[in-house]
Every structure is written in structure tokens, then in C-alpha cells.
Amino acid sequence: MEYMGKKVTVFGSFVVDLMGRTPHLPAAGETVKGTVFKMGPGGKGFNQGVAAHKAGADVTMVTKLGRDAFADIALNTMNELHMDTGRVLYSETTETGCALIMVDENSSQNEIVVILGACNTITDQEVDSLEDLVARSEYLLTQLETNVSSVERIVDIAYRKGVKVILNTAPVQPVSDDLLGKIDLITPNEVEAEILTGIKVDSEEAADKAADWFFSKGVKNVLITLGQRGVYINTGEKKGIIPAYKVEAVDTTGAGDAFNGGLLAALAEGKNLWEAADFANALAALSVQKIGTTPSMPVREEIDAFMA
Ligand code: ADP
């Protein structure tokens, strides 16, 4: 299949997920013999970039790695997928990020420590070096997992160049009105929408109120993901809910990342926001049927077959 989409940039985190399963989560000072260990690529930015790429988008992924073995996990994954590694940034002093994930195999509860490492040290100069790349892009997709100063700076460049910015507000933290005023499309989940707006998104009316709050800050379009219920969209002129696909979910970690990557790929192809949300729902529905984050992102053929 020939991809007809415009160029897009994904700017965000990379961490190596180190996952151990255990009969019970250890108490402070306790050592527990775990049962299964898995290691693989992760990080919200990287997951979203991979999802968009596998969906067929012309993605340039920007993240920051250390000079270590964990960096090779990112680079090997990108090379295997034929992704451009040319704009990856490197720290000579800080390690590649990692997430220490413990999963209780009885309750499925988890405890996670994420050490963002290199991708939390992106400097102003490094962001400024991306100006040519951003300027050539139709869309910039970013999140809140790298240092906030880097997010603010890259969004500002995109805004000045007239490049549309999609902000996925994960992991949620306070954002400035200045940043919000430069966002074309914001994509919080329900919890993030509530934390940012102070409005509990438990009905469509409440979602309308949350959307109005974002509009008052200058955000152009609002999309709130509602888990297995799908997504709420409000463009100011038109609003509604696009239902999710009904599937047997086995692992919903990374559902939001799958969704955002799919949304980006579809928008870059010229689909409207409603069509793009349906495509993203399909991509996310495929991803929740598999365990893992980056590896569970479907390829374009699977998405098209699923939607047919
Ligand atoms: P996050 O992973 O950020 O918490 P959500 O839980 O809102 O985000 O999920 C994002 C998207 O993933 C949803 O809008 C939907 O398209 C899809 N999704 C999530 N859970 C399911 C599910 N159980 N079945 C089908 N689709 C799902």
C-alpha cells in the first residue's frame, strides 16, 4: 500500500520497560521471588510514534537516549521497523530511561517506578535544532513525559511555523495557559481531563463543560478518550461520541498511546477528526487484545482488515 499522508513529527519519551511478575508485591524491605521477567521498548512518546508508523504514517520520531545498552533497544526497534533514527538526541551523561514494573500475578495490581533519564534532559538548544524538521511537518504530536520545558519549546516552534499541535496530556501535570493556547487538538483521558479542568467527566454534559474550559484557554479542538466507551469529540461547532469497538481486552496498558498514534496517522492522511477517531478506536481495540505496549501496535493491514 502506498502511504499518501503528510510528514509528521512525534516528540516524546523513550523508556525501557522492565516488567517482573510476582506472587505478591513486596512490602518495604522485603524480597520476593518473582516468576517472569520481560524487557522491551516503551515510553508514551515512543509508543505513539511506533503506533503511527505501523499505521502507515511518515513519522520522524524524536526522543533522547543515553549511550548505553538500553539505547540499543530503542534503536534496534526503530531499525527493525524501518523508522528514521536520524533525529534521535543523545545524552553523554544521563542514562536511557527505564520503568521498573512489578505486577502481582493474582490481583494484576502493579507498582511502577519510572526513571525518565535522558528523555527528561532535553535542552533548549536541542529543541531549537529541530526547527527545520518541525517546519516540514503537517502535525506535531507530543505528550507530557519529557521535561516540560522541552514540550513548551517545541510546541512554540510548531505554533510559530503554523504546524498543528496535538497534545496528549499524559502523564497529567499542570500546564500553562500559554501552552494550551497553542494547541490545535488536546487528547486527555477522563482522569486527565478532570485533573486539568476540575470537572469530573461522568456524562456528556460534563464533557461539554470540560471542553468549554479548554476552549476558554484557546485550545481549538477537544477529544476526551473514554476507555471502552470510545471518545468524546468537540470542535466548537460540532460534538459527539464515537463508540469504541467491542473486543475482549487482555491488556489495556498503552491503549491511549495506540489511540493517539492512530489518530495522528489518520489526520495526516487527510481524514476528518471523526473518521480519524474511528480509525484510532480500531487501532486501540486491536492493541488491547495483545499484551505489551510497543509490540502490540497493529500494522496497517490489520487495521484495515479489522475495519472492513
Ligand atoms: P488511557 O489508556 O490513556 O487511559 P483510555 O482508557 O481512555 O486511555 O483508552 C484509549 C482508547 O483505547 C479508547 O478511546 C478506546 O478507543 C480504546 N480502548 C480502551 N479500552 C478499551 C476496551 N476495553 N475495548 C476497546 N477499546 C478500548
Side-chain angles (χ1 to χ4, degrees):
M1 186 205 64
E2 185 112 7
Y3 178 72
M4 303 302 288
K6 302 268 179 38
K7 282 189 182 308
V8 294
T9 297
V10 177
F11 177 91
S13 56
F14 172 83
V15 302
V16 173
D17 287 337
L18 302 160
M19 195 277 295
R21 290 172 72 83
T22 165
H24 67 266
L25 296 170
E30 186 188 6
T31 299
V32 180
K33 284 183 182 166
T35 51
V36 177
F37 173 73
K38 277 207 160 55
M39 175 163 87
K44 292 180 191 301
F46 196 77
N47 289 342
Q48 294 181 18
V50 166
H53 170 82
K54 288 176 82 172
D58 186 357
V59 180
T60 304
M61 179 74 223
V62 182
T63 188
K64 189 166 175 181
L65 308 173
R67 298 282 187 192
D68 49 27
F70 282 0
D72 293 341
I73 294 178
L75 296 171
N76 292 343
T77 304
M78 292 172 83
N79 286 329
E80 278 162 21
L81 293 170
H82 305 289
M83 290 175 79
D84 176 12
T85 58
R87 304 307 289 254
V88 170
L89 306 166
Y90 295 92
S91 171
E92 304 301 330
T93 50
T94 307
E95 294 76 21
T96 304
C98 68
L100 310 173
I101 307 169
M102 288 183 290
V103 181
D104 182 321
E105 55 193 6
N106 296 306
S107 69
S108 291
Q109 281 193 319
N110 59 40
E111 284 184 7
I112 302 176
V113 177
V114 58
I115 298 140
L116 292 167
C119 68
N120 203 31
T121 68
I122 304 175
T123 65
D124 289 354
Q125 291 87 323
E126 284 169 331
V127 176
D128 292 348
S129 76
L130 302 168
E131 186 163 321
D132 65 308
L133 171 71
V134 173
R136 283 197 306 276
S137 305
E138 181 84 358
Y139 285 93
L140 168 74
L141 169 63
T142 188
Q143 313 77 26
L144 298 174
E145 202 160 51
T146 57
N147 46 304
V148 174
S149 58
S150 71
V151 176
E152 287 174 341
R153 203 165 179 98
I154 193 127
V155 167
D156 184 64
I157 291 175
Y159 183 73
R160 282 191 283 107
K161 298 285 177 191
V163 176
K164 292 191 189 113
V165 178
I166 306 172
L167 177 67
N168 175 230
T169 51
V172 69
Q173 55 193 290
V175 285
S176 68
D177 288 357
D178 180 63
L179 180 72
L180 290 173
K182 295 168 184 162
I183 306 304
D184 188 70
L185 172 61
I186 199 159
T187 64
N189 65 17
E190 291 160 289
V191 176
E192 293 156 7
E194 177 180 350
I195 291 170
L196 291 169
T197 67
I199 298 158
K200 191 168 176 52
V201 184
D202 53 6
S203 66
E204 200 167 337
E205 295 72 49
D208 292 344
K209 288 206 182 76
D212 284 340
W213 186 92
F214 285 118
F215 292 145
S216 76
K217 302 292 180 187
V219 175
K220 304 269 182 323
N221 300 283
V222 177
L223 184 159
I224 305 174
T225 61
L226 310 171
Q228 58 184 346
R229 284 182 293 129
V231 288
Y232 165 90
I233 301 178
N234 194 332
T235 63
E237 279 150 20
K238 194 176 156 197
K239 66 186 178 74
I241 288 179
I242 314 250
Y245 287 82
K246 287 206 188 336
V247 294
E248 202 64 53
V250 296
D251 180 8
T252 59
T253 21
D257 292 339
F259 182 91
N260 279 279
L263 189 73
L264 174 70
L267 288 172
E269 272 177 44
K271 288 188 166 57
N272 69 38
L273 189 52
W274 312 84
E275 296 163 341
D278 186 39
F279 182 87
N281 276 338
L283 199 158
L286 287 165
S287 84
V288 301
Q289 294 175 75
K290 292 186 201 153
I291 293 177
T293 51
T294 304
S296 73
M297 301 304 173
V299 295
R300 181 56 176 261
E301 288 70 20
E302 282 175 86
I303 305 166
D304 287 343
F306 181 73
M307 293 183 80

